Amino acid sequence: MSDPVSIPANPAPFPLDPGGFALVIIDMQRDFLEPGGFGESLGNDVGQLRRTIQPLRAVLDATRALGLPVVHTREGHLPDLSDCPPSKLNRGLPSRRIGDPGPNGRILIRGEYGHDIIDELAPVAGEAVVDKPGKGAFYGTGFGDLLVAAGVSQLVVTGVTTEVCVHTTVREANDRGYDCLVLEDCVGSYFPEFQAAGLAMIAAQGGIFGWTATSADYLKALSAI
Ligand code: TIU
């Protein structure tokens, strides 16, 4: 481990290992952030998530500039829905379900325009993109193997939504031995009350499954690397 850089965080400072972490960007897809996609089909106000884009773009730029590992994830399913269990398919408004046609293509289907990452945060060459059928990034994917190959033990976690895919991924990661720092202004929820509770739940009980910090403090730490 190289000398850690201390980031002010809840519930305690986070010792960022400059050579031992990856930035993980969860599901910043049109299907969640733009009208006509999966998020809206569930009855949500997709505008609630847009405040994450600008701080996340700054975090992505600074992380890229140092050549540090970046992993993007996308939630979605095969065109024949063979990887979408009834427990998931039967959610949402009957008028528009996973696989149904929408203005950005079939809802939450791999290869469709709506399934891809928003232009502002589009991956560049060399960045991993993990397609996942579930809420967590580990289930049914090569994410775990990818992290082992990258030799990282810490994850800086961003993306949407705070209480669903971010939480599931952070809990899965914590169970597997990763220390997770969640950037408060770079994760978003359709529900302000879930945003607050979701962040509080991570850092409560002495950091029961992670830490939380602001992107400003993460950027400050990067400038010290
Ligand atoms: N509905 C909701 O809040 N989230 C999801 O369905 N997926 C993710 O969080 N990516």
Side-chain angles (χ1 to χ4, degrees), residues 6-38:
S6 182
I7 300 181
N10 287 316
F14 184 84
L16 187 75
D17 172 8
F21 79 92
L23 172 66
V24 181
I25 305 178
I26 306 279
D27 302 355
M28 291 297 285
Q29 298 160 255
R30 297 187 185 100
D31 253 316
F32 294 105
L33 286 121
E34 295 186 0
F38 183 58

Coordinates of all heavy atoms in Angstrom, one line a residue, residues 6-38:
S6 N -5.6 11.1 3.7 CA -6.7 11.1 4.6 C -7.8 12.1 4.0 O -7.6 13.2 3.7 CB -6.3 11.6 6.0 OG -7.4 11.6 6.8
I7 N -9.0 11.5 3.8 CA -10.2 12.3 3.4 C -11.1 12.5 4.5 O -11.6 11.5 5.1 CB -10.9 11.6 2.2 CG1 -9.9 11.4 1.0 CG2 -12.1 12.4 1.7 CD1 -10.6 10.7 -0.2
P8 N -11.5 13.8 4.8 CA -12.5 14.0 5.8 C -13.8 13.2 5.4 O -14.3 13.4 4.3 CB -12.8 15.5 5.8 CG -11.5 16.1 5.2 CD -11.1 15.0 4.2
A9 N -14.4 12.4 6.3 CA -15.5 11.6 5.9 C -16.3 11.2 7.2 O -15.9 11.5 8.3 CB -15.0 10.3 5.3
N10 N -17.5 10.7 6.9 CA -18.3 10.2 8.0 C -18.2 8.6 8.0 O -18.3 8.1 6.9 CB -19.8 10.5 7.8 CG -20.1 12.0 8.1 OD1 -19.6 12.5 9.1 ND2 -20.8 12.7 7.2
P11 N -18.1 8.0 9.1 CA -18.0 8.5 10.4 C -16.7 8.9 10.9 O -16.5 9.3 12.0 CB -18.6 7.3 11.3 CG -18.0 6.1 10.6 CD -18.0 6.5 9.1
A12 N -15.6 8.7 10.0 CA -14.2 9.0 10.4 C -13.4 9.2 9.1 O -13.9 8.8 8.0 CB -13.7 7.7 11.1
P13 N -12.3 9.8 9.2 CA -11.5 10.0 8.0 C -11.2 8.7 7.2 O -11.1 7.7 7.8 CB -10.2 10.6 8.5 CG -10.5 11.2 9.8 CD -11.6 10.4 10.4
F14 N -11.3 8.8 5.9 CA -11.1 7.7 5.0 C -9.6 7.7 4.5 O -9.2 8.7 3.9 CB -12.0 7.7 3.8 CG -12.0 6.5 3.0 CD1 -12.7 5.3 3.3 CD2 -11.2 6.5 1.8 CE1 -12.6 4.2 2.5 CE2 -11.1 5.4 1.0 CZ -11.8 4.2 1.3
P15 N -8.8 6.6 4.7 CA -7.4 6.6 4.3 C -7.3 6.1 2.8 O -7.2 4.9 2.6 CB -6.8 5.6 5.3 CG -7.9 4.7 5.6 CD -9.2 5.4 5.5
L16 N -7.5 7.0 1.9 CA -7.4 6.7 0.5 C -6.0 6.2 0.1 O -5.1 6.9 0.2 CB -7.8 7.9 -0.4 CG -8.0 7.6 -1.9 CD1 -9.4 6.8 -2.1 CD2 -8.0 8.9 -2.7
D17 N -6.0 5.0 -0.5 CA -4.7 4.4 -1.0 C -4.6 4.8 -2.4 O -5.3 4.2 -3.3 CB -4.8 2.9 -0.8 CG -3.6 2.2 -1.4 OD1 -2.7 2.9 -1.9 OD2 -3.6 0.9 -1.4
P18 N -3.7 5.7 -2.8 CA -3.6 6.2 -4.2 C -3.4 5.1 -5.2 O -3.9 5.2 -6.3 CB -2.3 7.1 -4.1 CG -2.2 7.5 -2.7 CD -2.7 6.3 -1.9
G19 N -2.8 4.0 -4.8 CA -2.5 2.9 -5.8 C -3.5 1.7 -5.6 O -3.3 0.7 -6.3
G20 N -4.5 1.9 -4.8 CA -5.3 0.7 -4.5 C -6.8 1.0 -4.5 O -7.5 0.3 -3.8
F21 N -7.2 1.9 -5.3 CA -8.7 2.1 -5.3 C -9.2 2.3 -6.8 O -8.4 2.6 -7.7 CB -9.1 3.3 -4.5 CG -8.9 4.7 -5.2 CD1 -9.9 5.3 -5.9 CD2 -7.7 5.3 -5.0 CE1 -9.7 6.5 -6.5 CE2 -7.5 6.6 -5.6 CZ -8.5 7.1 -6.4
A22 N -10.5 2.1 -7.0 CA -11.1 2.3 -8.3 C -12.3 3.3 -8.0 O -12.9 3.2 -7.0 CB -11.6 1.0 -8.9
L23 N -12.5 4.1 -9.0 CA -13.7 4.9 -9.0 C -14.8 4.1 -9.7 O -14.6 3.6 -10.8 CB -13.5 6.2 -9.8 CG -14.8 7.1 -10.1 CD1 -15.4 7.6 -8.8 CD2 -14.5 8.2 -11.0
V24 N -16.0 3.9 -9.0 CA -17.1 3.1 -9.6 C -18.2 4.0 -9.8 O -18.7 4.8 -8.9 CB -17.4 2.0 -8.6 CG1 -18.6 1.1 -9.2 CG2 -16.2 1.1 -8.3
I25 N -18.7 4.0 -11.0 CA -19.9 4.9 -11.4 C -21.1 4.0 -11.7 O -21.0 3.3 -12.7 CB -19.5 5.8 -12.6 CG1 -18.2 6.6 -12.3 CG2 -20.7 6.7 -12.9 CD1 -17.8 7.5 -13.4
I26 N -22.1 4.0 -10.9 CA -23.2 3.1 -11.0 C -24.3 3.7 -11.9 O -24.9 4.7 -11.5 CB -23.8 2.8 -9.6 CG1 -22.7 2.4 -8.6 CG2 -24.9 1.8 -9.6 CD1 -22.3 0.9 -8.6
D27 N -24.6 3.0 -12.9 CA -25.9 3.2 -13.7 C -26.3 4.6 -14.1 O -27.5 4.9 -14.0 CB -27.0 2.5 -12.9 CG -26.7 1.0 -12.6 OD1 -25.7 0.5 -13.1 OD2 -27.5 0.4 -11.9
M28 N -25.3 5.4 -14.5 CA -25.7 6.8 -14.9 C -26.2 6.7 -16.4 O -25.6 7.3 -17.3 CB -24.5 7.7 -14.8 CG -24.1 8.0 -13.4 SD -25.3 8.9 -12.4 CE -25.2 10.5 -13.1
Q29 N -27.3 6.0 -16.5 CA -27.8 5.6 -17.8 C -29.0 6.5 -18.2 O -29.7 7.0 -17.3 CB -28.3 4.2 -17.8 CG -27.3 3.1 -17.6 CD -27.8 1.8 -17.1 OE1 -27.7 1.5 -16.0 NE2 -28.5 1.1 -18.0
R30 N -29.3 6.7 -19.5 CA -30.5 7.5 -19.9 C -31.7 6.8 -19.3 O -32.7 7.6 -19.0 CB -30.5 7.5 -21.4 CG -29.4 8.2 -22.0 CD -29.6 8.3 -23.6 NE -28.3 8.9 -24.1 CZ -27.4 8.2 -24.7 NH1 -27.5 6.9 -25.0 NH2 -26.3 8.8 -25.1
D31 N -31.7 5.5 -19.1 CA -32.9 4.9 -18.6 C -33.3 5.3 -17.2 O -34.5 5.2 -16.8 CB -32.7 3.3 -18.6 CG -33.5 2.6 -19.6 OD1 -34.7 3.0 -19.8 OD2 -33.0 1.7 -20.3
F32 N -32.3 5.9 -16.5 CA -32.6 6.4 -15.1 C -32.7 7.9 -15.0 O -33.4 8.4 -14.2 CB -31.6 5.9 -14.1 CG -31.6 4.4 -13.9 CD1 -30.7 3.6 -14.5 CD2 -32.7 3.8 -13.2 CE1 -30.7 2.2 -14.4 CE2 -32.7 2.4 -13.1 CZ -31.8 1.6 -13.7
L33 N -32.0 8.6 -15.9 CA -31.8 10.0 -15.8 C -32.6 10.8 -16.8 O -32.8 12.0 -16.7 CB -30.3 10.4 -16.0 CG -29.5 10.1 -14.7 CD1 -28.4 9.1 -15.0 CD2 -29.0 11.3 -14.1
E34 N -33.2 10.2 -17.8 CA -33.9 10.9 -18.9 C -35.4 10.4 -18.9 O -35.7 9.3 -18.6 CB -33.2 10.8 -20.2 CG -31.8 11.4 -20.1 CD -31.0 11.5 -21.4 OE1 -31.5 11.0 -22.5 OE2 -29.9 12.0 -21.4
P35 N -36.3 11.3 -19.4 CA -37.7 11.0 -19.5 C -37.8 9.8 -20.5 O -37.1 9.6 -21.4 CB -38.3 12.2 -20.1 CG -37.4 13.3 -19.8 CD -36.0 12.7 -19.8
G36 N -38.9 9.0 -20.2 CA -39.2 7.9 -21.1 C -38.5 6.6 -20.9 O -38.7 5.6 -21.6
G37 N -37.7 6.5 -19.8 CA -37.0 5.3 -19.5 C -37.5 4.5 -18.4 O -38.7 4.7 -17.9
F38 N -36.7 3.7 -17.8 CA -37.1 2.8 -16.7 C -37.5 3.6 -15.5 O -38.5 3.3 -14.8 CB -36.0 1.8 -16.4 CG -36.3 0.8 -15.3 CD1 -37.4 -0.1 -15.5 CD2 -35.6 0.6 -14.2 CE1 -37.7 -1.0 -14.6 CE2 -35.9 -0.3 -13.2 CZ -37.0 -1.2 -13.4

